[in-house]
Amino acid sequence: MSPRAMQEATFLILTALAAGSQHGYGIITDVREISGGRVRLRAGTLYSALDRLLAADLVVVDGEEVVEGRLRRYYRLTPSGSGLLAAEAARLAANVRAAQPRLKLAGGTT
Amino acid sequence: MSESALERRYRRLLAWYPAAFRQQREEEMLAVLLAAARPGQRRPRPSESFDLIRGAIGTRVRLLGSRPPGQRWADGLALFSITAPVLLLAATVLEIAVPYRLPYRTRFFVLPRAFGPHPQIGGLHLLSFLPFIIALACQAVIVVLVLAGQRWLALGAIAATAGCWIANIYLVPELLQVLSASVFLLAGAALIGSPGPRRGRHLLTWRHGIVLVACVAGVQVSTLMYDAASPFIRFVTQAAPGSGVYFAASVALAAVSALLAASFRLNRYFVLFLAVMFYPYVLQLLPRHGSDDNLIGLPTPQHLTVLFLPALLLSLAAIIAALLPRRPPLLPSLQSGQPPSA
């Protein structure tokens, strides 16, 4: 992946996979939950993102199974995927740490 | 309406994706789409349709530069860079070896005396023109250089040969002028835009050879048609002897070449380059069969634009594509050997 700031959808997909391998529909529901219902991934967006992540070796296929006649393919993070997610989380956390005291000074809420 | 109708509609949307992608992902994506569908949902929601079509277009764009070996843009250019000069040299040699022999029976008895015992168009007399010999030798040099994998030397030779042809344009048969111009333009761009003729030589198979032979035969037969239908022949014979047969044979050989290229599944970009290379040649050829029009006879800017704009645009595209950063490799493999851990 490029060193640019990560897109939110990519960040949430990586986050969904951080706890363990997931199949496509599991990622969609997990992302909705993580984002508090704000981000609703569609299949086209999810698989475009997964293809980019697979090409960048940030996720790998972790197996597949057939449930009720339908194919489920599972994905999991690679070590480099975990590393990238950790770096992005640290970057966002640093931004939050920088923003919160200034908001207090400005009389905003945190 | 049953779920199968919804499934069918989703499949119709998934058909927008490239075949290679669908082969790996269609069933998986369909399962996700159906799992996410609302109970009783009859058709894809507009937002889903838009998302899938946008994803399909994005995937197609992304896979452009990462086709399987043998179907890549750069490989097509590499193949063209090595075959086009060979094709041109073969066509030029055949112009000498298989001339159009003028019919003896004309309405003017003076024809044999005025034009010698074996009047003909093309043939060995072309070798009496020094510029033609130089151009022919240059073509041979280009072929030797591309076969030897000497990209930049071949490019230099193409530039020198093109200059030679331009300087002596009226001493070279018209069809060869048109064919040479498009070959030099496109082969030059292919040499710049491809990994080079070494790669082309590596990819070359007997299938390319067969298509090449069919193309060269088509060029030669259509040249004979062009000569047979020339205004001069029609004037002295009040007909165009043999031109109809040659025309039919040319069309048949063109069709055979296209069918062979399709059935051999040759690199599509290689075939595109061949088609664009022949486009001005065919335009030049067609008016001759039935009129005296000659697109290259008076090379006005309009004529040259009509003839060579596609070749020019494709050449620019090849050079620009060479300057762009390399795309990621093929669609990542979805092979997995481990069971899910969760």
Side-chain angles (χ1 to χ4, degrees), chain A residues 20-21 24-25 28 42-48 51-52 54-55 61-65 70-71 73-76, chain B residues 7 17 21 24-25 28-36 47 51 54-55 62 331-332 334 336 338-342:
Chain A
S21 69
Y25 185 61
I28 288 176
R42 307 259 180 224
T45 307
L46 170 67
Y47 282 94
S48 295
D51 270 345
R52 283 195 299 274
L54 283 160
V61 175
D62 196 30
E64 51 189 50
E65 61 180 350
R70 300 287 177 194
L71 175 68
R73 193 170 275 134
Y74 289 80
Y75 300 89
R76 68 172 163 79
Chain B
E7 178 176 337
Y17 281 86
F21 182 93
Q24 293 186 328
R25 289 281 168 77
E28 181 188 0
M29 283 182 78
L30 188 66
V32 169
L33 287 163
L34 291 172
S47 59
D51 180 65
R54 187 184 59 181
R62 205 159 50 81
L331 190 69
L334 297 180
S336 65
Q338 300 167 10
S341 57

Side-chain angles (χ1 to χ4, degrees), chain B residues 80-91:
Chain B
F80 183 82
S81 74
I82 200 166
T83 49
V86 173
L87 187 147
L88 181 62
L89 179 63

Side-chain angles (χ1 to χ4, degrees), chain B residues 205-285:
Chain B
T205 65
W206 58 270
R207 290 183 171 88
H208 298 98
I210 288 176
V211 173
L212 207 62
V213 167
C215 286
V216 171
V219 167
Q220 182 54 26
V221 172
S222 57
T223 301
L224 293 175
M225 180 275 281
Y226 189 78
D227 294 338
S230 69
F232 173 72
I233 297 297
R234 273 187 283 157
F235 173 70
V236 297
T237 64
Q238 290 184 305
S243 71
V245 175
Y246 290 138
F247 183 75
S250 310
V251 172
L253 280 165
V256 166
S257 306
L259 281 173
L260 284 172
S263 63
F264 288 158
R265 294 178 186 278
L266 298 189
N267 181 300
R268 66 183 71 183
Y269 300 111
F270 169 69
V271 175
L272 172 70
F273 262 71
L274 278 183
V276 172
M277 183 189 83
F278 277 122
Y279 161 79
Y281 180 85
V282 172
L283 275 194
Q284 171 69 10
L285 204 60

